[in-house]
Amino acid sequence: MESLLVYPSAKVSISNPSFTSGRTILSGNRHFGPRDLSNSIRMSSGFFPLRCTNSPDNKEISSVAAAIYEYHTDELINAEEVREWESGKSINDIYAKQGITIRRSCRPAPPAGGGMIPRNILEQIIWDKEVEVTQFKQRIPLKEVERMIEDASRTRDFLAALKDSYLRTGLPALIAEVKKASPSRGILRENFDPVEIAHTYEKNGAACLSILTDEKYFQGSFENLDKVRKAGIKCPLLCKEFIIDLWQIYYARAKGADAVLLIAGVLPDIDIKYMLKTCRELGLTALIEVHNERELDRVLKIKGVQLIGINNRNLENFVVDISNTQKLLENRIEVIQGKDITVVGESGLFAPDDVKFVHDSGVKAVLVGESLIKQEDPGLAIRGLFGKDISK
């Protein structure tokens, strides 16, 4: 249920041992892993499974009954990442080849101590997230999450809400962020009531809302997501989380999310592809976030991408440069329009001129948090951001 390369429980089954295209991939008696048993290596979390073999213990296989992955088998089995893994390359070498600098599975298991030191705040967040997700899954197994999804409300169309708002106002649709804190700015709002803030955003023209769920660095929670969904908010909700594991996508769906964030600077292509498939099966929209030209070029080659966010904040050093949006789009806008992809501008947006700048660059939606949440009246701050009332 996790990354196909990083975790040993990232197992999917093949309905027939014959590797013909179009086979349905399900959990069952056969599981997938990119390396033969004779060449399996010891990871921080255990041995990586076989490429295709009988599972010695079906109890080990995470249930994926809620999501049937109808991959063309050749696309999955013959993915470049799998071939490289089988040739003996390490996970982090494979990631680096795609321009991903965030290393994975580097935290030593206690009481060993030592190990590598995070090179930047994003890498620290991801390493901590690996530990956090493991603990979450022990407390709330996937089977329980699947039962929660059965009782969850139907998802709303996140992308359609953005498009409708853009057509109505002629301005980028607003994804307003419910965020208490950030690693770079600390506490953004002392008097923080996520439901009250969500209602204010909706009343003042937000098309969708982004709910921070990371606890350690942003003081968010999945409970905040659940509270906002159950409060009668009509705006579709984005679960703003550092997703590294399919379990998080399922849990986001169970807690009321209509969309999830996938960060290309953290996830390799193979993970983005099967996470997109999972999102479609669960009725979720995937917002794929990029920070540089290489990440955008990678994402544009992936089938089924509908929504791309360009973050003007470098997540490794937190420097913000609004011109990043223009730089990434100036030579790619025709390709993006041809694929009918909606682009979201993220970070560094504080005034009408900022919104106009990214709009002129090709953006049709903006995700804004800090410049709204820090104001005493976030609703009035929306009018200040756009230079007009966008609720009408």
Side-chain angles (χ1 to χ4, degrees):
M1 288 305 299
E2 300 110 343
S3 164
L4 284 181
L5 294 179
V6 174
Y7 294 103
S9 57
K11 302 167 187 174
V12 292
S13 73
I14 300 170
S15 60
N16 190 298
S18 172
F19 292 137
T20 56
S21 63
R23 295 290 184 185
T24 301
I25 298 176
L26 305 165
S27 68
N29 291 329
R30 293 183 175 271
H31 63 264
F32 167 85
R35 183 169 289 189
D36 293 334
L37 180 62
S38 60
N39 294 322
S40 64
I41 65 172
R42 183 73 179 179
M43 306 297 292
S44 62
S45 48
F47 284 100
F48 204 93
L50 310 184
R51 175 172 183 170
C52 181
T53 184
N54 289 326
S55 174
D57 184 358
N58 286 340
K59 294 180 181 179
E60 292 182 356
I61 299 178
S62 300
S63 170
V64 290
I68 299 175
Y69 306 132
E70 294 183 350
Y71 283 105
H72 289 291
T73 305
D74 288 345
E75 180 182 358
L76 182 64
I77 298 299
N78 295 318
E80 182 178 0
E81 296 96 327
V82 173
R83 296 196 304 270
E84 290 176 341
W85 178 269
E86 290 178 327
S87 72
K89 288 188 176 181
S90 71
I91 291 168
N92 290 323
D93 285 343
I94 295 170
Y95 283 19
K97 186 177 179 181
Q98 294 185 15
I100 299 172
T101 61
I102 303 304
R103 299 167 298 174
R104 299 290 296 278
S105 297
C106 296
R107 181 185 293 275
M116 292 198 271
I117 297 174
R119 293 182 292 202
N120 52 62
I121 184 62
L122 179 58
E123 192 163 83
Q124 179 69 69
I125 290 172
I126 295 303
W127 292 8
D128 288 341
K129 188 63 64 176
E130 290 177 335
V131 175
E132 177 187 309
V133 171
T134 298
Q135 294 170 346
F136 256 120
K137 291 165 66 177
Q138 290 172 347
R139 295 197 304 268
I140 313 174
L142 183 64
K143 285 185 179 294
E144 184 175 339
V145 178
E146 291 173 334
R147 287 193 290 269
M148 293 166 62
I149 291 174
E150 292 177 0
D151 296 328
S153 301
R154 295 182 63 180
T155 55
R156 288 82 56 94
D157 194 329
F158 191 91
L159 182 58
L162 297 181
K163 290 183 175 181
D164 289 348
S165 177
Y166 183 77
L167 290 174
R168 177 176 59 82
T169 67
L171 295 169
L174 174 62
I175 306 171
E177 192 149 85
V178 179
K179 174 167 66 173
K180 182 176 182 178
S182 77
S184 60
R185 301 292 186 181
I187 299 295
L188 299 174
R189 191 178 187 87
E190 292 285 354
N191 183 22
F192 182 79
D193 182 335
V195 172
E196 180 183 350
I197 293 167
H199 277 299
T200 300
Y201 282 156
E202 183 173 61
K203 180 181 178 181
N204 287 276
C208 299
L209 304 180
S210 169
I211 313 295
L212 263 295
T213 54
D214 178 79
E215 295 185 24
K216 182 171 184 178
Y217 294 94
F218 292 86
Q219 298 192 29
S221 70
F222 280 100
E223 294 312 310
N224 285 347
L225 175 63
D226 187 54
K227 288 178 182 177
V228 172
R229 181 59 190 261
K230 291 178 178 177
I233 302 295
K234 296 179 181 179
C235 288
L237 307 179
L238 169 71
C239 174
K240 189 78 172 292
E241 170 71 320
F242 294 89
I243 290 179
I244 57 172
D245 187 305
L246 281 182
W247 183 93
Q248 293 165 281
I249 298 177
Y250 278 81
Y251 196 59
R253 173 68 181 88
K255 287 294 186 177
D258 303 291
V260 296
L261 180 74
L262 304 178
I263 302 176
V266 172
L267 300 169
D269 295 350
I270 193 170
D271 281 7
I272 293 174
K273 290 174 182 177
Y274 83 83
M275 286 180 175
L276 276 172
K277 176 65 73 172
T278 301
C279 287
R280 286 193 290 269
E281 294 293 338
L282 294 176
L284 297 169
T285 298
L287 170 60
I288 304 180
E289 182 176 282
V290 302
H291 306 82
N292 56 46
E293 293 172 290
R294 187 169 185 181
E295 290 174 6
L296 180 54
D297 289 338
R298 280 175 48 210
V299 171
L300 288 175
K301 294 177 183 177
I302 296 175
K303 297 177 182 177
V305 173
Q306 297 178 300
L307 191 62
I308 294 177
I310 296 179
N311 198 334
N312 296 312
R313 175 177 284 112
N314 184 317
L315 291 186
E316 294 185 13
N317 58 28
F318 283 88
V319 172
V320 176
D321 180 5
I322 194 174
S323 68
N324 189 51
T325 296
Q326 183 184 61
K327 181 176 72 173
L328 267 60
L329 292 179
E330 59 184 354
N331 295 321
R332 299 169 179 84
I333 193 64
E334 290 185 5
V335 173
I336 289 169
Q337 291 174 344
K339 293 177 176 286
D340 194 26
I341 294 172
T342 297
V343 179
V344 180
E346 304 175 14
S347 301
L349 306 174
F350 292 89
D353 286 347
D354 298 329
V355 175
K356 183 179 186 303
F357 179 81
V358 295
H359 187 200
D360 291 345
S361 298
V363 159
K364 293 188 177 180
V366 291
L367 193 157
V368 184
E370 181 180 336
S371 65
L372 303 180
I373 201 72
K374 291 182 71 174
Q375 303 303 313
E376 183 177 350
D377 184 346
L380 186 61
I382 291 176
R383 298 178 197 177
L385 176 66
F386 286 90
K388 60 179 292 186
D389 184 354
I390 62 168
S391 66
K392 300 176 181 179

mmCIF file of all heavy atoms in Angstrom, residues 266-288:
data_model
loop_
_atom_site.group_PDB
_atom_site.id
_atom_site.type_symbol
_atom_site.label_atom_id
_atom_site.label_comp_id
_atom_site.label_asym_id
_atom_site.label_seq_id
_atom_site.Cartn_x
_atom_site.Cartn_y
_atom_site.Cartn_z
ATOM 1 N N VAL A 266 8.930 14.774 -4.382
ATOM 2 C CA VAL A 266 9.058 13.700 -3.396
ATOM 3 C C VAL A 266 8.766 12.340 -4.016
ATOM 4 O O VAL A 266 9.396 11.329 -3.659
ATOM 5 C CB VAL A 266 8.102 13.948 -2.211
ATOM 6 C CG1 VAL A 266 8.062 12.755 -1.270
ATOM 7 C CG2 VAL A 266 8.506 15.206 -1.450
ATOM 8 N N LEU A 267 7.831 12.294 -4.959
ATOM 9 C CA LEU A 267 7.346 11.029 -5.517
ATOM 10 C C LEU A 267 7.915 10.768 -6.911
ATOM 11 O O LEU A 267 7.850 11.648 -7.776
ATOM 12 C CB LEU A 267 5.820 11.050 -5.609
ATOM 13 C CG LEU A 267 5.066 11.246 -4.292
ATOM 14 C CD1 LEU A 267 3.591 11.517 -4.567
ATOM 15 C CD2 LEU A 267 5.228 10.036 -3.389
ATOM 16 N N PRO A 268 8.429 9.571 -7.169
ATOM 17 C CA PRO A 268 8.879 9.226 -8.519
ATOM 18 C C PRO A 268 7.687 9.005 -9.439
ATOM 19 O O PRO A 268 6.545 8.875 -8.980
ATOM 20 C CB PRO A 268 9.662 7.921 -8.308
ATOM 21 C CG PRO A 268 9.010 7.295 -7.121
ATOM 22 C CD PRO A 268 8.613 8.446 -6.220
ATOM 23 N N ASP A 269 7.938 8.942 -10.725
ATOM 24 C CA ASP A 269 6.854 8.813 -11.704
ATOM 25 C C ASP A 269 5.962 7.611 -11.439
ATOM 26 O O ASP A 269 4.741 7.692 -11.554
ATOM 27 C CB ASP A 269 7.437 8.704 -13.120
ATOM 28 C CG ASP A 269 8.166 9.965 -13.540
ATOM 29 O OD1 ASP A 269 8.060 10.980 -12.827
ATOM 30 O OD2 ASP A 269 8.850 9.943 -14.579
ATOM 31 N N ILE A 270 6.564 6.482 -11.088
ATOM 32 C CA ILE A 270 5.785 5.260 -10.910
ATOM 33 C C ILE A 270 4.792 5.420 -9.756
ATOM 34 O O ILE A 270 3.658 4.932 -9.821
ATOM 35 C CB ILE A 270 6.702 4.037 -10.694
ATOM 36 C CG1 ILE A 270 5.906 2.743 -10.818
ATOM 37 C CG2 ILE A 270 7.458 4.113 -9.380
ATOM 38 C CD1 ILE A 270 6.781 1.494 -10.851
ATOM 39 N N ASP A 271 5.186 6.128 -8.706
ATOM 40 C CA ASP A 271 4.271 6.361 -7.591
ATOM 41 C C ASP A 271 3.152 7.310 -7.988
ATOM 42 O O ASP A 271 1.992 7.105 -7.632
ATOM 43 C CB ASP A 271 5.033 6.941 -6.399
ATOM 44 C CG ASP A 271 5.787 5.884 -5.610
ATOM 45 O OD1 ASP A 271 5.823 4.729 -6.066
ATOM 46 O OD2 ASP A 271 6.341 6.213 -4.549
ATOM 47 N N ILE A 272 3.490 8.367 -8.713
ATOM 48 C CA ILE A 272 2.462 9.307 -9.149
ATOM 49 C C ILE A 272 1.424 8.592 -10.012
ATOM 50 O O ILE A 272 0.214 8.813 -9.870
ATOM 51 C CB ILE A 272 3.088 10.487 -9.921
ATOM 52 C CG1 ILE A 272 3.949 11.337 -8.975
ATOM 53 C CG2 ILE A 272 2.002 11.362 -10.553
ATOM 54 C CD1 ILE A 272 4.718 12.446 -9.666
ATOM 55 N N LYS A 273 1.886 7.702 -10.880
ATOM 56 C CA LYS A 273 0.967 6.989 -11.768
ATOM 57 C C LYS A 273 -0.014 6.122 -10.995
ATOM 58 O O LYS A 273 -1.228 6.152 -11.242
ATOM 59 C CB LYS A 273 1.754 6.136 -12.758
ATOM 60 C CG LYS A 273 2.501 6.937 -13.806
ATOM 61 C CD LYS A 273 3.378 6.037 -14.663
ATOM 62 C CE LYS A 273 4.171 6.850 -15.672
ATOM 63 N NZ LYS A 273 5.095 5.998 -16.477
ATOM 64 N N TYR A 274 0.482 5.339 -10.031
ATOM 65 C CA TYR A 274 -0.475 4.446 -9.367
ATOM 66 C C TYR A 274 -1.270 5.195 -8.306
ATOM 67 O O TYR A 274 -2.395 4.811 -7.979
ATOM 68 C CB TYR A 274 0.187 3.166 -8.858
ATOM 69 C CG TYR A 274 0.887 3.193 -7.532
ATOM 70 C CD1 TYR A 274 0.185 3.045 -6.338
ATOM 71 C CD2 TYR A 274 2.269 3.282 -7.471
ATOM 72 C CE1 TYR A 274 0.836 3.016 -5.125
ATOM 73 C CE2 TYR A 274 2.931 3.251 -6.265
ATOM 74 C CZ TYR A 274 2.220 3.119 -5.088
ATOM 75 O OH TYR A 274 2.859 3.074 -3.876
ATOM 76 N N MET A 275 -0.744 6.305 -7.799
ATOM 77 C CA MET A 275 -1.547 7.120 -6.892
ATOM 78 C C MET A 275 -2.666 7.840 -7.650
ATOM 79 O O MET A 275 -3.770 8.011 -7.124
ATOM 80 C CB MET A 275 -0.659 8.119 -6.147
ATOM 81 C CG MET A 275 0.194 7.461 -5.067
ATOM 82 S SD MET A 275 1.242 8.625 -4.174
ATOM 83 C CE MET A 275 1.944 7.529 -2.924
ATOM 84 N N LEU A 276 -2.398 8.257 -8.879
ATOM 85 C CA LEU A 276 -3.450 8.823 -9.714
ATOM 86 C C LEU A 276 -4.563 7.808 -9.942
ATOM 87 O O LEU A 276 -5.754 8.134 -9.893
ATOM 88 C CB LEU A 276 -2.879 9.269 -11.061
ATOM 89 C CG LEU A 276 -2.244 10.653 -11.147
ATOM 90 C CD1 LEU A 276 -1.572 10.831 -12.500
ATOM 91 C CD2 LEU A 276 -3.279 11.739 -10.931
ATOM 92 N N LYS A 277 -4.164 6.578 -10.217
ATOM 93 C CA LYS A 277 -5.150 5.518 -10.414
ATOM 94 C C LYS A 277 -5.985 5.317 -9.153
ATOM 95 O O LYS A 277 -7.218 5.181 -9.215
ATOM 96 C CB LYS A 277 -4.441 4.223 -10.803
ATOM 97 C CG LYS A 277 -5.358 3.012 -10.948
ATOM 98 C CD LYS A 277 -6.336 3.161 -12.087
ATOM 99 C CE LYS A 277 -5.630 3.010 -13.408
ATOM 100 N NZ LYS A 277 -6.615 2.961 -14.532
ATOM 101 N N THR A 278 -5.341 5.310 -8.009
ATOM 102 C CA THR A 278 -6.057 5.170 -6.743
ATOM 103 C C THR A 278 -7.042 6.309 -6.536
ATOM 104 O O THR A 278 -8.179 6.101 -6.120
ATOM 105 C CB THR A 278 -5.051 5.124 -5.569
ATOM 106 O OG1 THR A 278 -4.160 4.043 -5.746
ATOM 107 C CG2 THR A 278 -5.774 4.966 -4.244
ATOM 108 N N CYS A 279 -6.596 7.525 -6.826
ATOM 109 C CA CYS A 279 -7.483 8.686 -6.679
ATOM 110 C C CYS A 279 -8.720 8.541 -7.551
ATOM 111 O O CYS A 279 -9.846 8.831 -7.106
ATOM 112 C CB CYS A 279 -6.731 9.965 -7.037
ATOM 113 S SG CYS A 279 -5.508 10.482 -5.800
ATOM 114 N N ARG A 280 -8.532 8.109 -8.774
ATOM 115 C CA ARG A 280 -9.694 7.943 -9.662
ATOM 116 C C ARG A 280 -10.658 6.908 -9.105
ATOM 117 O O ARG A 280 -11.883 7.090 -9.152
ATOM 118 C CB ARG A 280 -9.228 7.552 -11.069
ATOM 119 C CG ARG A 280 -8.618 8.697 -11.851
ATOM 120 C CD ARG A 280 -8.460 8.345 -13.312
ATOM 121 N NE ARG A 280 -7.435 7.350 -13.531
ATOM 122 C CZ ARG A 280 -6.151 7.627 -13.766
ATOM 123 N NH1 ARG A 280 -5.747 8.882 -13.768
ATOM 124 N NH2 ARG A 280 -5.284 6.666 -13.979
ATOM 125 N N GLU A 281 -10.125 5.815 -8.570
ATOM 126 C CA GLU A 281 -10.988 4.775 -8.022
ATOM 127 C C GLU A 281 -11.762 5.272 -6.803
ATOM 128 O O GLU A 281 -12.885 4.848 -6.553
ATOM 129 C CB GLU A 281 -10.156 3.547 -7.633
ATOM 130 C CG GLU A 281 -9.503 2.815 -8.800
ATOM 131 C CD GLU A 281 -10.533 2.146 -9.702
ATOM 132 O OE1 GLU A 281 -11.664 1.892 -9.232
ATOM 133 O OE2 GLU A 281 -10.201 1.864 -10.867
ATOM 134 N N LEU A 282 -11.164 6.198 -6.054
ATOM 135 C CA LEU A 282 -11.807 6.707 -4.849
ATOM 136 C C LEU A 282 -12.622 7.975 -5.095
ATOM 137 O O LEU A 282 -13.219 8.515 -4.168
ATOM 138 C CB LEU A 282 -10.744 6.982 -3.778
ATOM 139 C CG LEU A 282 -10.002 5.761 -3.238
ATOM 140 C CD1 LEU A 282 -8.915 6.192 -2.249
ATOM 141 C CD2 LEU A 282 -10.963 4.790 -2.555
ATOM 142 N N GLY A 283 -12.631 8.453 -6.338
ATOM 143 C CA GLY A 283 -13.390 9.652 -6.662
ATOM 144 C C GLY A 283 -12.701 10.941 -6.255
ATOM 145 O O GLY A 283 -13.361 11.977 -6.099
ATOM 146 N N LEU A 284 -11.390 10.893 -6.072
ATOM 147 C CA LEU A 284 -10.627 12.061 -5.648
ATOM 148 C C LEU A 284 -9.930 12.734 -6.823
ATOM 149 O O LEU A 284 -9.527 12.078 -7.781
ATOM 150 C CB LEU A 284 -9.554 11.655 -4.630
ATOM 151 C CG LEU A 284 -10.033 11.067 -3.302
ATOM 152 C CD1 LEU A 284 -8.856 10.478 -2.538
ATOM 153 C CD2 LEU A 284 -10.731 12.135 -2.463
ATOM 154 N N THR A 285 -9.766 14.045 -6.733
ATOM 155 C CA THR A 285 -8.943 14.791 -7.678
ATOM 156 C C THR A 285 -7.523 14.846 -7.129
ATOM 157 O O THR A 285 -7.332 14.987 -5.919
ATOM 158 C CB THR A 285 -9.475 16.227 -7.845
ATOM 159 O OG1 THR A 285 -10.806 16.176 -8.371
ATOM 160 C CG2 THR A 285 -8.590 17.039 -8.780
ATOM 161 N N ALA A 286 -6.539 14.736 -7.996
ATOM 162 C CA ALA A 286 -5.142 14.832 -7.575
ATOM 163 C C ALA A 286 -4.551 16.149 -8.070
ATOM 164 O O ALA A 286 -4.558 16.425 -9.270
ATOM 165 C CB ALA A 286 -4.332 13.660 -8.127
ATOM 166 N N LEU A 287 -4.088 16.963 -7.140
ATOM 167 C CA LEU A 287 -3.340 18.166 -7.472
ATOM 168 C C LEU A 287 -1.862 17.806 -7.385
ATOM 169 O O LEU A 287 -1.359 17.508 -6.300
ATOM 170 C CB LEU A 287 -3.670 19.296 -6.490
ATOM 171 C CG LEU A 287 -2.794 20.556 -6.559
ATOM 172 C CD1 LEU A 287 -2.868 21.199 -7.944
ATOM 173 C CD2 LEU A 287 -3.192 21.539 -5.477
ATOM 174 N N ILE A 288 -1.188 17.815 -8.527
ATOM 175 C CA ILE A 288 0.221 17.432 -8.550
ATOM 176 C C ILE A 288 1.070 18.691 -8.532
ATOM 177 O O ILE A 288 0.993 19.515 -9.443
ATOM 178 C CB ILE A 288 0.542 16.564 -9.781
ATOM 179 C CG1 ILE A 288 -0.379 15.348 -9.807
ATOM 180 C CG2 ILE A 288 2.007 16.123 -9.753
ATOM 181 C CD1 ILE A 288 -0.162 14.427 -10.980
#
